[in-house]
Amino acid sequence: MSDGRIITILGIGMGNIDTLTMEGYNACREADVIIGAGRMLEGLGTFEKPVKDLYKAEEIVDFIKSNPDLVNVVVAFSGDIGFYSGATKLNDLLLEERFRVRRIPGISSVVYFAAKLGKPWQDVKLVSLHGRKQNIIDAIKHNKIVFSLIGKADSVRELSAKLIEYGFSDVVMHLGFMLSYENEKILEGKPADFTDFNEDGLSVVFIENNKAADAVITHGLPDDFFTRGDAPMTKEEIRSISLSKLALTKDGVLYDVGAGTGSISIECALQMADGEVYAIEKKEEAVELLKKNKLLCGADNLTVIEGLAPEALADLPAPTHVFIGGSSGNMKEIISLVLEKNPKVRIVVNAIAMETVAETTSIISESGFNFVDIVNVAVGKSKKLGRYNMMMGQNPVFVFTMQK
């Protein structure tokens, strides 16, 4: 727009006026109106400016457009405007409307809290559980220090319980509560110390895991790592080949159809830290094993679906990748459904029986895939017999890879 108005997107820091930068202070002092959520406006009351209690980006833009007499408009956001902030969406909408936009950063909660704890934060893994779903278990597993926005007391309790459930009961939690305000509290303890946390207000947390350096970052969990039972399992070497053929992406969506013990599902979930994995299994015993192995391996982004494909797939989000280890005779229907959900989905099928090989080959020719790769793998593993190592042959497996 060419009316000379300036819209200032301002990070106000922690909320206490003392954490507002001087640039932000001057912007508020010169403002014709300050827009923000009620909690932010309370802290900015000292400027005695007209205020508007709004927090949705679309409503803020509509208000600005409908009040052309307001020349210097300040829109306030907590913390810093670049750290899990609604400022990003507002900035894009304002630029679409061709407003002149000025952006003023603020002191983020991670910077403030790190200073309070006397800890550097350049190597900290940053996540947020405040109104978002993120795989914090994977972050803790692979990073010595994780910072997270949490939210209210129930979220603190849920996080503490989850850490204990996944075997992280020995990590150290530094909890920051109502930072910068008069009732600010900084607490330290193990997850068990916060399972009954009941303070009313917003919290953040630093989680220290001194064992993170030992976490393996490649796939290839040994077969005997999994709880087995009588459920079928894709063996270690075939699993490694199949995972490579899947060409996983970090934030993809994968179906493991006929998941068995979940060896494929879990390896995929560990590789796709920001993605979603759905393990579909019809046998009750295997479903229970899947749930146990999920906790054992810390695969928090894995969802176990009890049911028969393709019906069990109907309500799931569109997949980017599909692995089929068991189809119960529904191979054609399964592939048809996933192609309907995403025509570019990448599919890997493991087949041992010649009938399954023939069926899959027929489906490939009928479905018009323009990328097809077929590998036959025969693995021999050593077995100790007295003082000798004898190679024992496993069933040969056909690994089909297909994509349009």
Side-chain angles (χ1 to χ4, degrees):
M1 302 185 74
S2 57
D3 57 7
R5 304 168 75 194
I6 297 177
I7 313 302
T8 299
I9 299 178
L10 171 64
I12 66 169
M14 296 297 90
N16 186 318
I17 195 69
D18 292 339
T19 65
L20 185 64
T21 65
M22 184 58 70
E23 186 180 15
Y25 185 93
N26 290 332
C28 290
R29 191 176 61 180
E30 297 166 1
D32 294 326
V33 65
I34 300 176
I35 303 171
R39 184 169 61 91
M40 262 73 75
L41 297 178
E42 288 177 13
L44 299 174
T46 185
F47 293 101
E48 298 182 345
K49 295 289 183 177
V51 297
K52 186 65 176 179
D53 187 351
L54 296 172
Y55 68 93
K56 292 183 179 179
E58 294 85 357
E59 293 179 355
I60 293 171
V61 173
D62 287 343
F63 175 80
I64 293 171
K65 289 169 64 177
S66 61
N67 290 273
D69 55 313
L70 300 173
V71 177
N72 290 316
V73 178
V74 171
V75 186
F77 291 89
S78 63
D80 178 65
I81 58 176
F83 185 59
Y84 293 106
S85 174
T88 302
K89 183 175 181 180
L90 177 64
N91 179 74
D92 292 343
L93 290 177
L94 289 171
L95 292 178
E96 285 179 12
E97 297 289 340
R98 302 183 67 183
F99 281 105
R100 294 170 58 199
V101 179
R102 176 174 61 162
R103 290 162 288 274
I104 300 178
I107 297 175
S108 69
S109 53
V110 62
V111 173
Y112 180 94
F113 195 34
K116 284 285 185 175
L117 294 174
K119 295 180 180 293
W121 64 277
Q122 67 266 18
D123 296 323
V124 172
K125 174 68 174 178
L126 306 176
V127 300
S128 174
L129 299 178
H130 184 38
R132 301 169 62 91
K133 181 180 179 181
Q134 285 195 278
N135 190 355
I136 193 170
I137 295 299
D138 184 83
I140 293 168
K141 187 188 304 181
H142 292 100
N143 297 275
K144 288 187 175 181
I145 303 181
V146 173
F147 170 89
S148 180
L149 301 171
I150 304 181
K152 296 185 178 180
D154 57 343
S155 297
V156 176
R157 295 193 296 270
E158 289 171 11
L159 174 60
S160 302
K162 176 175 283 191
L163 291 173
I164 294 170
E165 183 181 29
Y166 279 100
F168 291 103
S169 56
D170 289 333
V171 300
V172 177
M173 296 176 65
H174 301 275
L175 192 72
F177 168 73
M178 294 299 293
L179 296 179
S180 86
Y181 291 93
E182 291 183 359
N183 57 337
E184 172 184 285
K185 289 183 182 179
I186 296 177
L187 307 171
E188 178 182 322
K190 299 294 179 71
D193 297 321
F194 297 101
T195 54
D196 295 323
F197 184 79
N198 200 31
E199 297 279 3
D200 185 21
L202 298 177
S203 300
V204 300
V205 68
F206 262 73
I207 300 174
E208 293 185 280
N209 178 19
N210 292 325
K211 298 177 182 177
D214 298 328
V216 177
I217 60 172
T218 58
H219 69 258
L221 292 173
D223 290 343
D224 58 8
F225 183 81
F226 296 94
T227 302
R228 292 284 301 274
D230 294 326
M233 183 176 77
T234 303
K235 299 298 191 297
E236 183 178 345
E237 290 74 22
I238 304 299
R239 190 164 66 245
S240 292
I241 293 171
S242 299
L243 286 165
S244 298
K245 296 295 184 181
L246 277 165
L248 299 170
T249 53
K250 190 176 182 182
D251 57 354
V253 176
L254 177 130
Y255 299 170
D256 178 8
V257 180
T261 58
S263 63
I264 286 282
S265 302
I266 287 165
E267 292 258 34
C268 289
L270 297 180
Q271 295 295 309
M272 301 165 64
D274 297 328
E276 300 173 69
V277 176
Y278 296 91
I280 297 88
E281 176 55 54
K282 66 178 183 179
K283 296 180 180 177
E284 184 178 349
E285 179 190 358
V287 167
E288 294 306 310
L289 288 172
L290 267 165
K291 292 177 180 179
K292 290 179 181 178
N293 283 322
K294 171 184 174 176
L295 293 177
L296 176 67
C297 301
D300 192 41
N301 55 334
L302 168 62
T303 301
V304 179
I305 306 291
E306 184 173 1
L308 181 66
E311 293 81 8
L313 312 177
D315 296 329
L316 301 182
T320 56
H321 303 78
V322 172
F323 176 80
I324 303 175
S327 65
S328 298
N330 298 325
M331 182 77 71
K332 186 173 183 178
E333 292 79 6
I334 293 167
I335 291 178
S336 176
L337 177 63
V338 299
L339 286 173
E340 184 179 326
K341 283 174 172 280
N342 178 11
K344 296 183 179 180
V345 65
R346 190 173 181 90
I347 303 170
V348 172
V349 176
N350 280 186
I352 297 175
M354 295 309 299
E355 290 77 9
T356 308
V357 172
E359 182 184 15
T360 306
T361 305
S362 175
I363 292 170
I364 288 173
S365 63
E366 294 171 1
S367 300
F369 292 102
N370 54 14
F371 172 79
V372 176
D373 179 65
I374 305 173
V375 177
N376 180 236
V377 183
V379 175
K381 294 200 73 168
S382 67
K383 183 177 181 180
K384 195 76 173 177
L385 294 175
R387 62 190 183 93
Y388 296 100
N389 287 294
M390 303 295 291
M391 299 305 295
M392 309 296 290
Q394 298 181 356
N395 286 326
V397 178
F398 284 83
V399 181
F400 293 86
T401 308
M402 59 200 87
Q403 189 171 17
K404 291 187 178 182

